[in-house]
Amino acid sequence: MPKVNLSVDGKKIQADKGAFLLDVCRDNHIPVPSLCHNEALGSDGRCRLCVVEVRRGNRTRMVTSCLFPAAEGVEAITQSANIALVRKTVLELLWARCPESDEIARLARSHGVSDVRYQKDNDKGKCILCNLCIRTCESVVGVSALGLSGKGPVKKVTTPFDEPSETCIGCGACAFVCPTGHIQMWDKEGVRNIWGRKFEMAACAKCGTHFAPLYQLEYISKTSGASMDRLRTCPDCR
Ligand code: SF4
Ligand code: FES
């Protein structure tokens, strides 16, 4: 991979050409806040929290670092009055959209937002429409049980026709990646509840712990060829 030389906050850095600036910052222990970025999935630039300033030649502009490719001679700044103002505004808007979200409240307060001046939504739950759950379900799990429905203010993440999804395997990966805790999932008495469906949990053949939905194990067995005998033993006992 060809390398490029750039600087972040005055620190000289060598990075892979085309690596995204947010990843370059994190690899070099330079903190940049984000909500819609995931190490495995990258980002599609939805939250706008990761803004930084970039100078090339005489030109300085504000960019979303999760989508800005590292290039020779780039000078990036991760903290400035302008950046702080944009991040505060983004967080204030997200907090107004999701007043129930503890994570957004925590981030907002840590960026100096003590209250929300905008009208608060009371129908969005904790969802910021970051798309991580949809992308995880599609590209990592491979089942595409989730999607976006509606437009404008009624746009939301849901299952097809808002019905319990036939294709969902109950793996919970969507709930795991969700940065705001919007997706409700709970396991009780050997049953997992998620997206309006109930999944019987498999008990480990050795220790008896309920560790994964049986349906998920059957899906893995079918797609990977692994035997159900092996899959029915929990990772700790394998
Ligand atoms: S449910 Fe969570 S992961 Fe999915 S779009 Fe909303 S905030 Fe993002
Ligand atoms: S992390 Fe860059 S826009 Fe969300």
Side-chain angles (χ1 to χ4, degrees):
M1 176 70 73
K3 301 282 182 192
V4 290
N5 296 295
L6 65 154
S7 77
V8 180
D9 297 340
K11 181 178 172 180
K12 293 196 183 329
I13 290 174
Q14 202 170 60
D16 289 343
K17 186 176 181 184
F20 291 120
L21 207 44
L22 179 62
D23 295 316
V24 173
C25 289
R26 298 218 164 140
D27 289 347
N28 286 277
H29 312 290
I30 298 166
V32 176
S34 70
L35 274 167
C36 73
H37 177 269
N38 175 281
E39 244 177 56
L41 293 162
S43 172
D44 53 6
R46 301 232 168 194
C47 74
R48 297 308 209 228
L49 200 55
C50 67
V51 288
V52 299
E53 283 177 344
V54 158
R55 183 186 305 165
R56 261 181 121 171
N58 292 330
R59 197 164 159 237
T60 301
R61 62 192 173 119
M62 189 92 67
V63 300
T64 43
S65 61
C66 64
L67 296 178
F68 189 86
E72 187 68 31
V74 160
E75 293 170 41
I77 296 169
T78 66
Q79 310 282 346
S80 71
N82 282 345
I83 295 169
L85 184 64
V86 172
R87 289 182 186 156
K88 270 176 94 164
T89 308
V90 164
L91 282 164
E92 207 177 341
L93 289 166
L94 289 175
W95 204 3
R97 175 185 168 85
C98 305
E100 296 166 30
S101 170
D102 294 340
E103 179 55 16
I104 292 174
R106 186 193 65 75
L107 266 173
R109 288 200 183 97
S110 72
H111 283 78
V113 182
S114 53
D115 205 0
V116 177
R117 287 169 297 163
Y118 307 107
Q119 190 175 347
K120 293 181 184 172
D121 283 318
N122 55 19
D123 60 343
K124 307 288 191 293
K126 299 177 184 174
C127 183
I128 57 167
L129 295 177
C130 72
N131 239 8
L132 276 176
C133 53
I134 297 171
R135 291 166 61 219
T136 300
C137 189
E138 198 175 291
S139 352
V140 180
V141 184
V143 300
S144 299
L146 300 174
L148 288 172
S149 82
K151 286 193 177 152
V154 295
K155 191 189 255 188
K156 66 175 183 178
V157 171
T158 185
T159 49
F161 307 107
D162 270 343
E163 300 280 336
S165 166
E166 296 275 306
T167 47
C168 178
I169 58 171
C171 67
C174 54
F176 181 74
V177 295
C178 176
T180 60
H182 175 72
I183 298 173
Q184 301 288 306
M185 177 179 86
W186 66 98
D187 297 345
K188 194 174 171 204
E189 292 167 359
V191 176
R192 170 164 296 174
N193 297 264
I194 187 166
W195 292 113
R197 277 189 66 184
K198 291 182 187 299
F199 294 88
E200 180 191 344
M201 299 290 277
C204 171
K206 291 193 179 156
C207 69
T209 306
H210 289 107
F211 70 101
L214 196 52
Y215 195 45
Q216 178 188 358
L217 300 183
E218 287 166 355
Y219 172 81
I220 294 171
S221 175
K222 202 164 72 188
T223 50
S224 70
S227 78
M228 277 303 281
D229 279 351
R230 178 173 151 68
L231 292 172
R232 286 195 77 132
T233 306
C234 77
D236 289 346
C237 293
R238 272 176 212 158

